Amino acid sequence: MEDDAGERSNFVIGLIENRAKEVGVAAFDLRSASLHLSQYIETSSSYQNTKTLLHFYDPLVIIVPPNKLAPDGMVGVSILVDRFYSSIKKVIMARGCFDDTKGAVLVKNLAAKEPSALGLDTYYKQYYLCLAAASATIKWYNKFFSPVGIRHEISGYFLFSHPT
């Protein structure tokens, strides 16, 4: 995604899916330190919802767990990235880095000033995939940049959605 000045986006995307064809997305904007979370059911075997989000964010880096067989003949997010986004840096992080509990704690601590994060305790179990993606994305960021460890440092857009 380019802005009005023609600059390329600075998003790092974390993607993970489960056997029920749900996808969790964490899009971290390196420029504004904002975190966009989304979780939805992928309704087509072509991953159209995921492709649309990736096209919108035009990320610099896509973080995925190791390959595993996807449900019902779907290709899986890692293979999707290989097939359609080979020009974007793909980072494979261990499945353990996609920890929804750590993601919930990180998001709650880092974005405590955000009203949309206040109800996180209520929604935590329902939106575990995007919180898992957030955990891996923030872990990757902390490895390569100054740690996002200071409370209230990021702003958030928590888009807990289920496009159909």
Side-chain angles (χ1 to χ4, degrees):
M1 170 169 91
E2 290 187 7
D3 62 15
D4 293 336
E7 293 183 33
R8 194 172 193 300
S9 91
N10 284 326
F11 279 94
V12 174
I13 302 278
L15 284 175
I16 189 168
E17 68 182 324
N18 67 12
R19 291 184 190 122
K21 301 180 187 176
E22 286 182 293
V23 176
V25 178
F28 186 71
D29 187 343
L30 299 172
R31 198 176 316 161
S32 68
S34 63
L35 181 65
H36 306 231
L37 300 179
S38 185
Q39 184 167 319
Y40 52 89
I41 296 171
E42 188 57 76
T43 56
S44 74
S45 60
S46 67
Y47 285 84
Q48 193 55 50
N49 293 328
T50 304
K51 287 180 189 175
T52 299
L53 278 175
L54 289 173
H55 178 74
F56 174 76
Y57 286 118
D58 188 23
L60 299 170
V61 175
I62 300 174
I63 301 164
V64 294
N67 279 345
K68 72 172 198 140
L69 294 175
D72 297 337
M74 295 177 74
V75 296
V77 292
S78 185
I79 295 171
L80 172 82
V81 171
D82 291 340
R83 283 188 189 169
F84 296 100
Y85 303 96
S86 59
S87 64
I88 297 172
K89 181 178 179 178
K90 175 181 158 185
V91 174
I92 298 173
M93 293 182 74
R95 197 160 273 285
C97 294
F98 289 81
D99 184 325
D100 56 317
T101 304
K102 286 181 184 175
V105 170
L106 282 168
V107 168
K108 191 169 183 184
N109 287 338
L110 294 172
K113 291 182 181 178
E114 286 292 321
S116 58
L118 296 177
L120 192 56
D121 292 336
T122 307
Y123 300 114
Y124 155 68
K125 291 188 189 263
Q126 187 176 357
Y127 299 108
Y128 70 97
L129 285 172
C130 60
L131 294 170
S135 175
T137 303
I138 292 170
K139 185 176 184 93
W140 177 88
Y141 177 88
N142 286 343
K143 184 177 178 179
F144 293 103
F145 299 97
S146 64
V148 179
I150 301 169
R151 294 179 145 245
H152 320 305
E153 191 169 309
I154 65 171
S155 62
Y157 299 96
F158 307 107
L159 308 170
F160 301 127
S161 57
H162 288 281
T164 54

